[in-house]
Each structure stands twice: as C-alpha cells, then as structure tokens.
Amino acid sequence: MAKWDQRDPRWIVEVRPDGTNVNNWHWVEKNATTWSKNKITELLCGLVIQDDEYFCEITEVTKLEGEATANNRKAKLIFFYEWDIKADWSGKLKSDSTKYKGKLDVPNLSEENDEEDLDVNVSVEDSSNTAYKVKEFMRCEGTKIIQKQLGEYIKCLKEEYSQGIILPTKDNQLGVGEQKTSSGQNLAKQEMNRAINGIQGDIPHDINDIPCKTLKVKEDFICSVEDLYRALTTRELMSAFTNSEVVCETDPPGNFSLYSGFVTGQFLELVPSKKIVQKWRLKSWPEGHYSEVTIELDSNGDTTTMNLTQKNVPEKEFDNTQDGWSRHYWARIKQIFGYGAQLF
C-alpha cells in the first residue's frame, strides 16, 4: 500500500492531447493482417534467384493464410504472427530456353521461429534430370534468399507497422515504435537488396554507370485500340488485371504504382489511344534507377498491335523485366479481359 501522498505513477494522468491510455498501461492491439499480406506478397512476388548458370523466379503467391497483430502492454511491444505461404516458381538454365515450373511453401512463419529456422519446401513438375538440377538450385539458394525476405517482413512489422502504437508521454515525445530509421538501417536495406538481386560491389555513384539494355516487345490483342489504352491507363482496370491496389494519376507527370509498389513510376506523355510514355522501374532495381517506356498502339480493325520500347533496363534485370511484362501485363490483360486468342 502506498504511503500518504506517494502516488502510484501508473494512476497519474499525464498532460496528453488525447487523454487516452495513460502511461501506455492498457493493452492496445493493432491488426496487421492486411498489411502483412501486402508486404509478404511484395517481398516474394517477382523475386529472382540466379547465378551464372541458373535463373529462377517466384511468379505468384498462390496462398497466404494466417494473421498478424502488433500489441502494446505496459509500454512493451508484443507481436503475434502466423502464416502458411504457398507460391509458384519457374526456372531454367541460362544456356537453355526451356523453363520448368514448380511450387514452394513456407508452413511455419511465426514468432516461434527465427529467420534461419523457416522451412522452405520446393518441388518441380517435370521429372527430367535438368529439371531436378534447377529445382535443387532453387531449394538450396532460394531457401536462403526467401528466408532473408521473410526476415525483412518481420523487421518491417516491428519497426514500421508498430509506429504510433506506443503513445508519447510528456517526457518522451516519441514512442518506442516511432523512432526514425537510422542511416545504418537504410544501408542494411541497400546491402540486402543488392545481395538478393545479384548486384555486386558498391552502388554506382553515377546512375549512368549501370550497364543497361533496350527492350522491344510486340504484342497483338483481340480488342479495340481504345479498350487496350483504357486497360493501361485506368485505375480500376489496372487494379483488375494486377489483382492489387493501384495508384494511377494520369495528368502528366502523374505517379503510378502497381503490384503493391513493386512497379512504380510516372506518366510522362499520354496521347489517347495512340501513345503512352512512362518513367518506370521495378523495386528490385538499383536504387534511384528508372527506365523510359514508350508504348505505341496501332488499330487493325478488330485487333490492336502494341509496340513497347523500354530504354535503360539494367542488364542484370533484363530477362526478369522482359518475362515480367509478358506474365504480369500482357498475359493477365488477355486473361482477365478476354483480349487473347480465341480457342475453338
């Protein structure tokens, strides 16, 4: 029992603008499930695992079941998360164009397991000897990279998503979860991204020092030129074929963001039903590096021909970028809107 005039500080109301949860004493829970699904998908979808001989990529996260919460009790942060993750992947020898498809799953992503203890199970559909070699590369090298990516999810959950959950007191203007990211943490992120994407050595001081190539693509669609233009410039239609939240500001220079921020850039020029010019990058590219994408549309009656020219694609990301356009843009647009070849 407290002595006379010696008050328990837990019960003293501090000067707070909102007057709630004094001294952070009460339990506060913040649902992180939706944020976690977007973050895990962003970290895994399109992830490339490669060396001089092999090229593998996670093409789609097919299952993401579980939940996550961030909690504050007595000014202490507590995190609960449990996820069952399944994904599709493809891979090939760099000396051969034949691609092999497979599946992977991570059944035990939870607070009970450290990053290096996460299980990554990998399988391949083909039974050939080459397919087995590609699968083994994905299992051995891919496991380490996937573990690092999911470790990044855990780090972001604790450092970014927890912001604001511990409220400021009169003597502590920032809660534990609101501390600014240090330059050391930013450097660590850069190092991790470079390691994952096979970028060796220091980040170039001059962005022009990055070896680049130009990508050219021609694709035919069974639709009017107006329909294809709308699919590439309308937020609702872009959200439909990407199955993700989309930012689309079409008043140049307007920003755009697809696949939970994995693809970002700006519209530089728009000529309705004729031409689209974009400043464009993948999140996995070297920091600050953008390409220039020019999409030209030609009407052929009931069909439309799309010609894409993309300048300044990082050489190490060229195959990944080319495959990404094919799989995540053109194939998805044809599938979702029915603009592909008709089957009889």
Side-chain angles (χ1 to χ4, degrees):
M1 181 175 180
K3 295 181 180 180
W4 181 259
D5 204 32
Q6 290 184 358
R7 304 172 182 86
D8 187 333
R10 294 174 298 180
W11 299 96
I12 299 175
V13 177
E14 298 183 17
V15 179
R16 282 184 47 79
D18 54 18
T20 60
N21 201 16
V22 177
N23 293 313
N24 293 285
W25 186 249
H26 302 295
W27 182 279
V28 176
E29 180 174 289
K30 194 174 181 182
N31 191 316
T33 299
T34 300
W35 176 89
S36 293
K37 287 183 176 181
N38 290 334
K39 191 66 178 179
I40 292 171
T41 301
E42 172 191 328
L43 288 167
L44 294 183
C45 190
L47 180 65
V48 171
I49 300 97
Q50 64 177 326
D51 65 4
D52 292 338
E53 187 176 0
Y54 297 95
F55 178 92
C56 296
E57 176 191 17
I58 297 178
T59 56
E60 184 180 3
V61 176
T62 57
K63 177 183 177 182
L64 189 50
E65 292 185 354
E67 59 182 351
T69 57
N71 308 275
N72 164 28
R73 178 68 168 103
K74 302 180 184 179
K76 180 181 179 181
L77 288 172
I78 305 170
F79 299 90
F80 299 105
Y81 51 91
E82 186 173 7
W83 295 102
D84 180 11
I85 306 167
K86 296 185 185 299
D88 291 341
W89 67 275
S90 67
K92 67 184 184 72
L93 293 175
K94 287 189 172 180
S95 59
D96 188 358
S97 61
T98 303
K99 283 193 174 183
Y100 303 96
K101 296 181 179 181
K103 299 183 180 299
L104 64 85
D105 72 275
V106 183
N108 63 333
L109 176 58
S110 73
E111 70 277 358
E112 297 179 357
N113 298 295
D114 294 330
E115 170 187 321
E116 61 272 14
D117 296 326
L118 295 176
D119 295 327
V120 181
N121 303 314
V122 180
S123 63
V124 67
E125 296 176 359
D126 198 286
S127 60
S128 68
N129 186 51
T130 303
Y132 174 79
K133 290 180 179 179
V134 174
K135 187 265 291 185
E136 283 300 288
F137 171 78
M138 182 66 176
R139 183 182 65 82
C140 296
E141 299 303 319
T143 292
K144 293 181 286 187
I145 293 176
I146 291 167
Q147 287 173 338
K148 283 185 179 181
Q149 288 293 80
L150 295 177
E152 177 68 7
Y153 155 69
I154 297 169
K155 179 182 176 183
C156 290
L157 175 66
K158 294 181 178 180
E159 294 183 359
E160 297 178 19
Y161 193 79
S162 60
Q163 291 182 10
I165 197 169
I166 291 185
L167 303 173
T169 65
K170 66 179 180 181
D171 297 321
N172 179 21
Q173 295 305 310
L174 281 178
V176 173
E178 293 181 296
Q179 296 176 356
K180 294 182 179 179
T181 303
S182 68
S183 60
Q185 288 172 331
N186 286 331
L187 182 59
K189 275 190 175 182
Q190 293 172 9
E191 292 293 335
M192 186 200 70
N193 286 333
R194 288 159 56 200
I196 287 172
N197 292 283
I199 303 170
Q200 305 297 327
D202 294 332
I203 295 175
H205 296 292
D206 185 348
I207 208 70
N208 295 320
D209 290 342
I210 299 172
C212 294
K213 297 174 66 176
T214 296
L215 172 65
K216 291 182 179 289
V217 177
K218 181 179 179 180
E219 196 80 24
D220 292 321
F221 297 83
I222 302 177
C223 66
S224 69
V225 69
E226 292 81 11
D227 285 340
L228 184 57
Y229 179 84
R230 283 194 294 267
L232 294 169
T233 58
T234 305
R235 184 180 64 83
E236 292 79 8
L237 298 180
M238 293 166 73
S239 182
F241 80 76
T242 63
N243 193 29
S244 68
E245 289 295 323
V246 167
V247 174
C248 180
E249 302 168 353
T250 53
D251 188 11
N255 296 326
F256 65 84
S257 172
L258 294 78
Y259 292 106
S260 301
F262 193 74
V263 177
T264 56
Q266 289 184 326
F267 289 102
L268 301 179
E269 181 185 354
L270 289 172
V271 181
S273 303
K274 295 278 186 184
K275 184 178 180 182
I276 301 168
V277 181
Q278 298 173 327
K279 179 181 177 181
W280 193 100
R281 67 174 267 108
L282 291 178
K283 189 173 183 179
S284 58
W285 286 9
E287 186 175 355
H289 183 86
Y290 284 85
S291 66
E292 182 178 288
V293 172
T294 300
I295 296 174
E296 296 177 307
L297 306 177
D298 294 319
S299 176
N300 302 308
D302 294 333
T303 64
T304 296
T305 298
M306 185 283 308
N307 287 284
L308 177 145
T309 301
Q310 185 173 14
K311 300 178 181 178
N312 295 323
V313 179
E315 194 172 276
K316 288 182 176 291
E317 293 280 347
F318 186 84
D319 290 342
N320 183 34
T321 303
Q322 184 177 38
D323 197 50
W325 280 108
S326 176
R327 178 179 290 112
H328 301 301
Y329 272 76
W330 317 135
R332 291 288 297 172
I333 287 173
K334 291 179 179 181
Q335 177 187 6
I336 297 300
F337 304 128
Y339 295 167
Q342 298 179 4
L343 299 177
F344 296 95

